[in-house]
Amino acid sequence: MDTNNSVTHVILTGGVGSRLWPLSRKSQPKQYLEIFEGKSLFEMTVDRNSHLANKVMVVGNVDNHHLSGNVMGKSQTVYINIVEATPRNTAAAIAFAAFASNPDDILIITPSDHIIDKIEDYDNAIDQAIQKAQEGFIVTFGIIPTKPETGYGYIESKGDRVISFREKPNETTAKEFIAKGNFLWNSGMFCFKASVLLEELKQFQPEVYEKSKIVWESSENGFLDLETSLEIPSISIDYAVMERSKKIKVVPASFVWSDLGSFESVYDYLVSKGHPIDKNGNMVIGCDKHTTFLGLKNTIFVYTATANLILQKENSQDVKDIYSALEKQNSELLN
């Protein structure tokens, strides 16, 4: 890695993993579940990037920062801790990381809940992104798709040039994207100089910029104030900057990637690691008790101490509707 700038790995940990309920709860979101070969996704994210950066920064929230602290302590990793008082989406979270950095620092932004394989290809993609970031670009990572996935956003590209960002498509549109051959999955990973990101945010979303700056400057030991945080508009970095800036480049990446955002993707991952399924593709998660499926195919039985979920693999995206319904009831089952 040839760089004169300090490289900081920024880990975003704010999500609750609503599509993985009941495994994922507010008290133990999916990135902290140790069900992936005895490690959590958060721990795997820390390990994967440890040799690529000089510093580590964790942007978490007041409900889960102790969980990331436990993992960082286990791996004896020194890190900069930013604790949001309330979720304000990714534009604010990333702005806090940039304000906490030196202007010329290169930041590699990664969510804490992704699975990545083919690490050599991953390292190569990071190196390419750092080079482009040094030249003043904001870099996004586009994953070469393996199927017409409806759970991801897409990037339309030509070489390293972004033509457009697209919302999560329906199945017909996803198939059209794949057929065209120049669409990539939007990974939600970024790389840029801190100052470049802040300049673009200030230009396109001045209110997010100014109010995030006020919150950061009044922070104490990385803990952010609730009252002023609530004034920050809640907007994703995609809407705030990526879809509007002229400084965007994409690195088309061939590493194996999944955001494990649904039970279907968890199922596929666990099968690849030898997790048992029966002859009709049925799987049990979270329970060692003998379970028999009769007359069912591709069914996932998710067991926890307080709630069970039985679903068709193909209906995985609908789990978030169950989460939303429980949220409206203020249910204890989300905690």
Side-chain angles (χ1 to χ4, degrees):
M1 185 169 63
D2 178 25
T3 174
N4 300 319
N5 312 102
S6 178
V7 176
T8 302
H9 175 215
V10 179
I11 310 173
L12 304 180
T13 74
V16 295
S18 58
R19 287 179 294 175
L20 291 189
W21 182 88
L23 278 186
S24 185
R25 308 286 183 104
K26 287 177 181 175
S27 61
Q28 192 83 355
K30 69 167 178 174
Q31 58 268 33
Y32 302 107
L33 298 171
E34 294 186 347
I35 59 170
F36 305 98
E37 299 172 90
K39 284 188 173 183
S40 68
L41 296 173
F42 183 95
E43 187 176 353
M44 291 161 81
T45 303
V46 175
D47 292 350
R48 180 165 60 244
N49 292 278
S50 59
H51 65 292
L52 299 172
N54 316 99
K55 292 188 248 179
V56 180
M57 191 181 292
V58 177
V59 185
N61 63 47
V62 74
D63 294 327
N64 72 19
H65 74 97
H66 64 287
L67 298 172
S68 36
N70 292 343
V71 178
M72 301 305 267
K74 180 179 168 186
S75 62
Q76 297 186 315
T77 303
V78 176
Y79 70 108
I80 301 154
N81 195 25
I82 299 175
V83 181
E84 293 184 288
T86 182
R88 301 319 285 159
N89 216 317
T90 50
I94 289 169
F96 297 139
F99 283 126
S101 304
N102 295 319
D104 284 341
D105 285 356
I106 303 258
L107 308 188
I108 301 165
I109 311 284
T110 74
S112 59
D113 55 359
H114 291 182
I115 282 282
I116 289 173
D117 279 325
K118 288 196 182 172
I119 294 301
E120 200 174 306
D121 291 342
Y122 177 76
D123 291 353
N124 181 40
I126 296 284
D127 281 346
Q128 286 182 55
I130 288 171
Q131 296 299 327
K132 292 179 195 297
Q134 286 176 314
E135 293 163 19
F137 293 107
I138 296 173
V139 184
T140 183
F141 295 80
I143 310 299
I144 297 163
T146 55
K147 61 179 180 176
E149 174 63 62
T150 59
Y152 302 149
Y154 283 74
I155 301 167
E156 184 183 8
S157 65
K158 186 173 183 181
D160 69 355
R161 190 166 63 84
V162 174
I163 298 168
S164 71
F165 288 89
R166 302 295 184 91
E167 294 289 320
K168 293 174 184 176
N170 60 31
E171 196 159 343
T172 305
T173 308
K175 285 175 178 170
E176 287 169 7
F177 287 172
I178 301 298
K180 284 181 180 169
N182 66 325
F183 281 81
L184 305 164
W185 288 337
N186 188 350
S187 70
M189 293 169 48
F190 310 101
C191 182
F192 47 74
K193 268 187 194 170
S195 58
V196 173
L197 187 280
L198 289 174
E199 283 160 17
E200 296 297 274
L201 184 64
K202 190 175 185 179
Q203 179 182 345
F204 297 114
Q205 286 287 333
E207 193 181 359
V208 175
Y209 173 89
E210 294 295 347
K211 293 194 167 167
S212 299
K213 189 168 190 274
I214 289 165
V215 170
W216 175 248
E217 287 174 350
S218 68
S219 65
E220 292 185 24
N221 299 321
F223 284 78
L224 309 184
D225 177 68
L226 175 59
E227 202 172 326
T228 46
S229 293
L230 287 167
E231 294 179 19
I232 303 170
S234 179
I235 184 170
S236 73
I237 196 69
D238 295 272
Y239 287 141
V241 174
M242 306 306 290
E243 295 182 9
R244 302 168 77 179
S245 172
K246 299 287 185 283
K247 296 184 177 178
I248 308 299
K249 294 284 186 186
V250 63
V251 171
S254 55
F255 54 82
V256 176
W257 172 89
S258 169
D259 74 347
L260 291 189
S262 70
F263 277 112
E264 183 167 17
S265 52
V266 170
Y267 177 102
D268 291 343
Y269 173 76
L270 291 176
V271 166
S272 77
K273 297 298 178 184
H275 191 92
I277 53 174
D278 71 12
K279 66 180 192 299
N280 291 314
N282 300 305
M283 175 184 284
V284 178
I285 298 175
C287 173
D288 294 329
K289 289 178 184 171
H290 177 76
T291 305
T292 303
F293 297 83
L294 196 58
L296 299 171
K297 287 186 177 178
N298 296 331
T299 300
I300 306 171
F301 172 52
V302 185
Y303 174 88
T304 73
T306 55
N308 298 330
L309 175 68
I310 301 163
L311 72 152
Q312 288 292 151
K313 180 159 69 97
E314 297 75 18
N315 291 90
S316 292
Q317 294 295 336
D318 299 333
V319 174
K320 65 180 182 293
D321 298 335
I322 299 170
Y323 190 95
S324 299
L326 289 168
E327 206 164 31
K328 283 175 186 161
Q329 298 164 21
N330 207 15
S331 173
E332 284 293 314
L333 294 172
L334 299 184
N335 296 330

